[in-house]
Amino acid sequence: MKQLTAADVRASFINTSLRERKAVKLPPEFDNLVWKDLDYLGWKDPKVPNIGYVVTHLDDEPTGIMMRQSSGRARSRPQCSWCEDVTLPNDVHYFTARRTGPAGRAGDTVATLVCANFECSANVRKLPPLAYTGFDRDTARLKRIEKLELRSRAFVAGLRDNL
C-alpha cells in the first residue's frame, strides 16, 4: 500500500458525514506503520471499539470506509471473507458498512466477515502449512496476498459504486 498522511486518510472516507470524518481517531501506531506490508489500512476506533475503519487504493486514490461491528456472536468459528485464513490466531467479526449516497442516508448497509482487528495483511504474509510434498509455499503466500488485495478492494468498490 502507498504511504498516506493523516489528512489523506481523513479525506478518503466515502460513507461518512463531515462530522464523522473529522472525529476519526487514527491508529496509535500510524506514524510507524510499515506501508509495504499492508494491503489495506484497517483499525478500530480506540474510543468506540465497535467502529472500524478501512482505507485502500481504488483507481490509484485512497478510499476509506467506516464499518460497525455487530454485537452478536457466531455459533461456530467464522472464516474471514478477505484473507480466508483457516488457521487464524485471531477472532473474526461481522461488520456492516453504510452505503454511499442516498442509499446510505436511507440506512442501506452491506456486511462482511473480517478479522476482528483487521489483521488480514499479517495473516496472508505467514507461510502457509505444507499441503503436500512439493507444495510451493512462497507462491501460495503471494497468491493469498493478491487475493486479499482483490477482495478488500472489491468490497470498498462495491460500497463506492453502490453495487
mmCIF file of all heavy atoms in Angstrom, residues 37 39 83 85 87-90 115 119-130 135-145 148:
data_model
loop_
_atom_site.group_PDB
_atom_site.id
_atom_site.type_symbol
_atom_site.label_atom_id
_atom_site.label_comp_id
_atom_site.label_asym_id
_atom_site.label_seq_id
_atom_site.Cartn_x
_atom_site.Cartn_y
_atom_site.Cartn_z
ATOM 1 N N ASP A 37 3.963 -3.554 3.867
ATOM 2 C CA ASP A 37 3.403 -4.807 4.376
ATOM 3 C C ASP A 37 1.892 -4.757 4.568
ATOM 4 O O ASP A 37 1.313 -5.653 5.166
ATOM 5 C CB ASP A 37 4.066 -5.176 5.710
ATOM 6 C CG ASP A 37 5.522 -5.577 5.540
ATOM 7 O OD1 ASP A 37 5.925 -5.911 4.405
ATOM 8 O OD2 ASP A 37 6.251 -5.554 6.545
ATOM 9 N N ASP A 39 -1.947 -4.396 2.800
ATOM 10 C CA ASP A 39 -2.770 -4.464 1.597
ATOM 11 C C ASP A 39 -3.910 -3.463 1.705
ATOM 12 O O ASP A 39 -4.471 -3.037 0.709
ATOM 13 C CB ASP A 39 -3.314 -5.883 1.424
ATOM 14 C CG ASP A 39 -2.162 -6.871 1.405
ATOM 15 O OD1 ASP A 39 -1.374 -6.818 0.456
ATOM 16 O OD2 ASP A 39 -2.034 -7.660 2.364
ATOM 17 N N CYS A 83 -9.189 -12.479 3.996
ATOM 18 C CA CYS A 83 -7.930 -13.251 3.946
ATOM 19 C C CYS A 83 -8.177 -14.753 3.831
ATOM 20 O O CYS A 83 -7.280 -15.500 3.455
ATOM 21 C CB CYS A 83 -7.022 -12.936 5.130
ATOM 22 S SG CYS A 83 -7.621 -13.456 6.748
ATOM 23 N N ASP A 85 -8.186 -17.049 5.893
ATOM 24 C CA ASP A 85 -7.217 -17.843 6.645
ATOM 25 C C ASP A 85 -7.961 -18.884 7.477
ATOM 26 O O ASP A 85 -8.860 -18.558 8.236
ATOM 27 C CB ASP A 85 -6.384 -16.937 7.556
ATOM 28 C CG ASP A 85 -5.149 -17.619 8.084
ATOM 29 O OD1 ASP A 85 -5.219 -18.818 8.390
ATOM 30 O OD2 ASP A 85 -4.111 -16.955 8.190
ATOM 31 N N THR A 87 -6.368 -20.962 9.575
ATOM 32 C CA THR A 87 -5.601 -21.212 10.796
ATOM 33 C C THR A 87 -5.465 -19.922 11.599
ATOM 34 O O THR A 87 -4.428 -19.651 12.182
ATOM 35 C CB THR A 87 -4.198 -21.758 10.459
ATOM 36 O OG1 THR A 87 -3.510 -20.782 9.655
ATOM 37 C CG2 THR A 87 -4.286 -23.077 9.729
ATOM 38 N N LEU A 88 -6.520 -19.130 11.627
ATOM 39 C CA LEU A 88 -6.471 -17.815 12.264
ATOM 40 C C LEU A 88 -6.127 -17.876 13.749
ATOM 41 O O LEU A 88 -6.731 -18.644 14.494
ATOM 42 C CB LEU A 88 -7.823 -17.114 12.134
ATOM 43 C CG LEU A 88 -8.140 -16.509 10.790
ATOM 44 C CD1 LEU A 88 -9.551 -15.937 10.800
ATOM 45 C CD2 LEU A 88 -7.160 -15.431 10.440
ATOM 46 N N PRO A 89 -5.192 -17.023 14.157
ATOM 47 C CA PRO A 89 -4.908 -16.904 15.588
ATOM 48 C C PRO A 89 -5.817 -15.865 16.247
ATOM 49 O O PRO A 89 -5.749 -15.642 17.434
ATOM 50 C CB PRO A 89 -3.459 -16.414 15.594
ATOM 51 C CG PRO A 89 -3.350 -15.615 14.328
ATOM 52 C CD PRO A 89 -4.250 -16.294 13.332
ATOM 53 N N ASN A 90 -6.660 -15.211 15.469
ATOM 54 C CA ASN A 90 -7.497 -14.122 15.967
ATOM 55 C C ASN A 90 -8.975 -14.383 15.665
ATOM 56 O O ASN A 90 -9.313 -15.260 14.886
ATOM 57 C CB ASN A 90 -7.064 -12.802 15.319
ATOM 58 C CG ASN A 90 -7.004 -12.897 13.803
ATOM 59 O OD1 ASN A 90 -5.983 -13.297 13.253
ATOM 60 N ND2 ASN A 90 -8.073 -12.548 13.121
ATOM 61 N N CYS A 115 -11.437 -10.113 9.925
ATOM 62 C CA CYS A 115 -10.639 -10.308 11.141
ATOM 63 C C CYS A 115 -10.937 -9.175 12.128
ATOM 64 O O CYS A 115 -11.025 -8.011 11.736
ATOM 65 C CB CYS A 115 -9.153 -10.327 10.795
ATOM 66 S SG CYS A 115 -8.672 -11.808 9.874
ATOM 67 N N GLU A 119 -6.356 -7.868 10.921
ATOM 68 C CA GLU A 119 -5.019 -8.462 10.852
ATOM 69 C C GLU A 119 -4.757 -9.207 9.549
ATOM 70 O O GLU A 119 -3.784 -9.936 9.428
ATOM 71 C CB GLU A 119 -4.811 -9.461 12.000
ATOM 72 C CG GLU A 119 -5.014 -8.905 13.375
ATOM 73 C CD GLU A 119 -6.386 -9.233 13.960
ATOM 74 O OE1 GLU A 119 -7.382 -9.322 13.222
ATOM 75 O OE2 GLU A 119 -6.458 -9.375 15.180
ATOM 76 N N CYS A 120 -5.617 -9.045 8.560
ATOM 77 C CA CYS A 120 -5.528 -9.827 7.317
ATOM 78 C C CYS A 120 -4.162 -9.728 6.649
ATOM 79 O O CYS A 120 -3.622 -10.733 6.179
ATOM 80 C CB CYS A 120 -6.603 -9.383 6.338
ATOM 81 S SG CYS A 120 -8.289 -9.616 6.919
ATOM 82 N N SER A 121 -3.594 -8.532 6.566
ATOM 83 C CA SER A 121 -2.300 -8.365 5.887
ATOM 84 C C SER A 121 -1.218 -9.207 6.551
ATOM 85 O O SER A 121 -0.385 -9.810 5.867
ATOM 86 C CB SER A 121 -1.886 -6.893 5.865
ATOM 87 O OG SER A 121 -2.734 -6.156 5.010
ATOM 88 N N ALA A 122 -1.219 -9.259 7.871
ATOM 89 C CA ALA A 122 -0.237 -10.090 8.581
ATOM 90 C C ALA A 122 -0.532 -11.569 8.374
ATOM 91 O O ALA A 122 0.390 -12.374 8.191
ATOM 92 C CB ALA A 122 -0.233 -9.754 10.068
ATOM 93 N N ASN A 123 -1.810 -11.940 8.372
ATOM 94 C CA ASN A 123 -2.185 -13.350 8.208
ATOM 95 C C ASN A 123 -1.737 -13.913 6.865
ATOM 96 O O ASN A 123 -1.217 -15.025 6.805
ATOM 97 C CB ASN A 123 -3.700 -13.529 8.354
ATOM 98 C CG ASN A 123 -4.183 -13.286 9.761
ATOM 99 O OD1 ASN A 123 -3.418 -13.318 10.707
ATOM 100 N ND2 ASN A 123 -5.463 -13.023 9.900
ATOM 101 N N VAL A 124 -1.944 -13.177 5.785
ATOM 102 C CA VAL A 124 -1.613 -13.709 4.460
ATOM 103 C C VAL A 124 -0.109 -13.732 4.195
ATOM 104 O O VAL A 124 0.346 -14.415 3.283
ATOM 105 C CB VAL A 124 -2.329 -12.953 3.313
ATOM 106 C CG1 VAL A 124 -3.833 -13.106 3.439
ATOM 107 C CG2 VAL A 124 -1.911 -11.504 3.228
ATOM 108 N N ARG A 125 0.664 -13.015 4.980
ATOM 109 C CA ARG A 125 2.114 -12.989 4.790
ATOM 110 C C ARG A 125 2.831 -14.132 5.515
ATOM 111 O O ARG A 125 4.007 -14.366 5.302
ATOM 112 C CB ARG A 125 2.669 -11.639 5.203
ATOM 113 C CG ARG A 125 2.427 -10.614 4.112
ATOM 114 C CD ARG A 125 2.721 -9.199 4.511
ATOM 115 N NE ARG A 125 2.642 -8.323 3.351
ATOM 116 C CZ ARG A 125 1.517 -7.990 2.710
ATOM 117 N NH1 ARG A 125 0.364 -8.477 3.120
ATOM 118 N NH2 ARG A 125 1.531 -7.197 1.664
ATOM 119 N N LYS A 126 2.117 -14.852 6.358
ATOM 120 C CA LYS A 126 2.700 -16.027 7.007
ATOM 121 C C LYS A 126 2.768 -17.158 5.995
ATOM 122 O O LYS A 126 1.868 -17.318 5.169
ATOM 123 C CB LYS A 126 1.838 -16.465 8.192
ATOM 124 C CG LYS A 126 1.807 -15.461 9.315
ATOM 125 C CD LYS A 126 0.859 -15.911 10.399
ATOM 126 C CE LYS A 126 0.707 -14.826 11.435
ATOM 127 N NZ LYS A 126 -0.438 -15.065 12.304
ATOM 128 N N LEU A 127 3.829 -17.940 6.082
ATOM 129 C CA LEU A 127 3.928 -19.094 5.191
ATOM 130 C C LEU A 127 2.803 -20.073 5.511
ATOM 131 O O LEU A 127 2.607 -20.423 6.681
ATOM 132 C CB LEU A 127 5.265 -19.797 5.350
ATOM 133 C CG LEU A 127 6.425 -19.250 4.536
ATOM 134 C CD1 LEU A 127 7.704 -20.021 4.854
ATOM 135 C CD2 LEU A 127 6.153 -19.294 3.054
ATOM 136 N N PRO A 128 2.073 -20.520 4.505
ATOM 137 C CA PRO A 128 1.010 -21.496 4.779
ATOM 138 C C PRO A 128 1.616 -22.847 5.128
ATOM 139 O O PRO A 128 2.776 -23.120 4.796
ATOM 140 C CB PRO A 128 0.242 -21.552 3.452
ATOM 141 C CG PRO A 128 1.208 -21.115 2.418
ATOM 142 C CD PRO A 128 2.148 -20.158 3.098
ATOM 143 N N PRO A 129 0.849 -23.697 5.793
ATOM 144 C CA PRO A 129 1.360 -25.033 6.115
ATOM 145 C C PRO A 129 1.632 -25.824 4.834
ATOM 146 O O PRO A 129 1.012 -25.581 3.793
ATOM 147 C CB PRO A 129 0.249 -25.675 6.939
ATOM 148 C CG PRO A 129 -0.942 -24.817 6.776
ATOM 149 C CD PRO A 129 -0.514 -23.490 6.266
ATOM 150 N N LEU A 130 2.554 -26.762 4.937
ATOM 151 C CA LEU A 130 2.893 -27.612 3.802
ATOM 152 C C LEU A 130 1.702 -28.515 3.495
ATOM 153 O O LEU A 130 1.335 -29.366 4.293
ATOM 154 C CB LEU A 130 4.136 -28.443 4.122
ATOM 155 C CG LEU A 130 4.736 -29.227 2.970
ATOM 156 C CD1 LEU A 130 5.201 -28.293 1.862
ATOM 157 C CD2 LEU A 130 5.911 -30.056 3.460
ATOM 158 N N PHE A 135 4.780 -28.738 -2.492
ATOM 159 C CA PHE A 135 3.925 -27.552 -2.411
ATOM 160 C C PHE A 135 4.799 -26.301 -2.315
ATOM 161 O O PHE A 135 5.689 -26.210 -1.478
ATOM 162 C CB PHE A 135 3.015 -27.668 -1.179
ATOM 163 C CG PHE A 135 2.102 -26.504 -0.959
ATOM 164 C CD1 PHE A 135 1.072 -26.242 -1.842
ATOM 165 C CD2 PHE A 135 2.253 -25.695 0.150
ATOM 166 C CE1 PHE A 135 0.211 -25.184 -1.625
ATOM 167 C CE2 PHE A 135 1.398 -24.631 0.378
ATOM 168 C CZ PHE A 135 0.376 -24.371 -0.512
ATOM 169 N N ASP A 136 4.580 -25.342 -3.192
ATOM 170 C CA ASP A 136 5.355 -24.099 -3.218
ATOM 171 C C ASP A 136 4.707 -23.087 -2.280
ATOM 172 O O ASP A 136 3.771 -22.375 -2.653
ATOM 173 C CB ASP A 136 5.430 -23.559 -4.640
ATOM 174 C CG ASP A 136 6.378 -22.384 -4.779
ATOM 175 O OD1 ASP A 136 6.754 -21.782 -3.749
ATOM 176 O OD2 ASP A 136 6.742 -22.066 -5.926
ATOM 177 N N ARG A 137 5.215 -23.038 -1.074
ATOM 178 C CA ARG A 137 4.625 -22.188 -0.037
ATOM 179 C C ARG A 137 4.779 -20.701 -0.361
ATOM 180 O O ARG A 137 3.890 -19.903 -0.062
ATOM 181 C CB ARG A 137 5.250 -22.520 1.313
ATOM 182 C CG ARG A 137 4.922 -23.948 1.744
ATOM 183 C CD ARG A 137 5.745 -24.420 2.913
ATOM 184 N NE ARG A 137 5.336 -23.715 4.119
ATOM 185 C CZ ARG A 137 6.019 -23.756 5.254
ATOM 186 N NH1 ARG A 137 7.123 -24.461 5.346
ATOM 187 N NH2 ARG A 137 5.585 -23.106 6.312
ATOM 188 N N ASP A 138 5.905 -20.302 -0.967
ATOM 189 C CA ASP A 138 6.112 -18.893 -1.305
ATOM 190 C C ASP A 138 5.111 -18.421 -2.365
ATOM 191 O O ASP A 138 4.560 -17.327 -2.262
ATOM 192 C CB ASP A 138 7.541 -18.647 -1.785
ATOM 193 C CG ASP A 138 8.545 -18.764 -0.647
ATOM 194 O OD1 ASP A 138 8.239 -18.260 0.459
ATOM 195 O OD2 ASP A 138 9.624 -19.349 -0.861
ATOM 196 N N THR A 139 4.877 -19.247 -3.369
ATOM 197 C CA THR A 139 3.903 -18.904 -4.404
ATOM 198 C C THR A 139 2.503 -18.843 -3.801
ATOM 199 O O THR A 139 1.713 -17.948 -4.131
ATOM 200 C CB THR A 139 3.953 -19.920 -5.560
ATOM 201 O OG1 THR A 139 5.261 -19.892 -6.131
ATOM 202 C CG2 THR A 139 2.924 -19.599 -6.630
ATOM 203 N N ALA A 140 2.192 -19.769 -2.921
ATOM 204 C CA ALA A 140 0.886 -19.765 -2.267
ATOM 205 C C ALA A 140 0.704 -18.483 -1.445
ATOM 206 O O ALA A 140 -0.378 -17.882 -1.451
ATOM 207 C CB ALA A 140 0.729 -20.990 -1.378
ATOM 208 N N ARG A 141 1.763 -18.062 -0.764
ATOM 209 C CA ARG A 141 1.688 -16.827 0.022
ATOM 210 C C ARG A 141 1.432 -15.627 -0.896
ATOM 211 O O ARG A 141 0.600 -14.783 -0.598
ATOM 212 C CB ARG A 141 2.971 -16.627 0.826
ATOM 213 C CG ARG A 141 2.973 -15.319 1.579
ATOM 214 C CD ARG A 141 4.141 -15.092 2.494
ATOM 215 N NE ARG A 141 5.383 -15.626 2.018
ATOM 216 C CZ ARG A 141 6.452 -15.800 2.790
ATOM 217 N NH1 ARG A 141 6.397 -15.481 4.061
ATOM 218 N NH2 ARG A 141 7.564 -16.276 2.295
ATOM 219 N N LEU A 142 2.136 -15.548 -2.011
ATOM 220 C CA LEU A 142 1.943 -14.442 -2.949
ATOM 221 C C LEU A 142 0.520 -14.418 -3.509
ATOM 222 O O LEU A 142 -0.074 -13.348 -3.671
ATOM 223 C CB LEU A 142 2.961 -14.522 -4.091
ATOM 224 C CG LEU A 142 4.409 -14.251 -3.690
ATOM 225 C CD1 LEU A 142 5.343 -14.492 -4.873
ATOM 226 C CD2 LEU A 142 4.573 -12.839 -3.146
ATOM 227 N N LYS A 143 -0.045 -15.589 -3.769
ATOM 228 C CA LYS A 143 -1.427 -15.665 -4.257
ATOM 229 C C LYS A 143 -2.407 -15.204 -3.186
ATOM 230 O O LYS A 143 -3.403 -14.538 -3.481
ATOM 231 C CB LYS A 143 -1.762 -17.093 -4.696
ATOM 232 C CG LYS A 143 -1.149 -17.457 -6.026
ATOM 233 C CD LYS A 143 -1.545 -18.859 -6.450
ATOM 234 C CE LYS A 143 -0.866 -19.222 -7.757
ATOM 235 N NZ LYS A 143 -1.196 -20.566 -8.205
ATOM 236 N N ARG A 144 -2.131 -15.552 -1.930
ATOM 237 C CA ARG A 144 -3.002 -15.117 -0.828
ATOM 238 C C ARG A 144 -2.971 -13.595 -0.686
ATOM 239 O O ARG A 144 -3.999 -12.966 -0.445
ATOM 240 C CB ARG A 144 -2.576 -15.782 0.480
ATOM 241 C CG ARG A 144 -2.898 -17.266 0.523
ATOM 242 C CD ARG A 144 -2.361 -17.905 1.751
ATOM 243 N NE ARG A 144 -2.731 -17.079 2.914
ATOM 244 C CZ ARG A 144 -2.771 -17.503 4.149
ATOM 245 N NH1 ARG A 144 -2.463 -18.741 4.420
ATOM 246 N NH2 ARG A 144 -3.119 -16.717 5.124
ATOM 247 N N ILE A 145 -1.787 -13.004 -0.829
ATOM 248 C CA ILE A 145 -1.656 -11.540 -0.755
ATOM 249 C C ILE A 145 -2.462 -10.891 -1.881
ATOM 250 O O ILE A 145 -3.208 -9.938 -1.663
ATOM 251 C CB ILE A 145 -0.170 -11.126 -0.813
ATOM 252 C CG1 ILE A 145 0.550 -11.563 0.472
ATOM 253 C CG2 ILE A 145 -0.029 -9.622 -1.026
ATOM 254 C CD1 ILE A 145 2.060 -11.454 0.408
ATOM 255 N N LEU A 148 -6.214 -11.170 -1.214
ATOM 256 C CA LEU A 148 -6.644 -10.247 -0.170
ATOM 257 C C LEU A 148 -6.822 -8.848 -0.743
ATOM 258 O O LEU A 148 -7.813 -8.174 -0.465
ATOM 259 C CB LEU A 148 -5.639 -10.215 0.993
ATOM 260 C CG LEU A 148 -5.859 -9.111 2.027
ATOM 261 C CD1 LEU A 148 -7.239 -9.215 2.674
ATOM 262 C CD2 LEU A 148 -4.766 -9.145 3.073
#
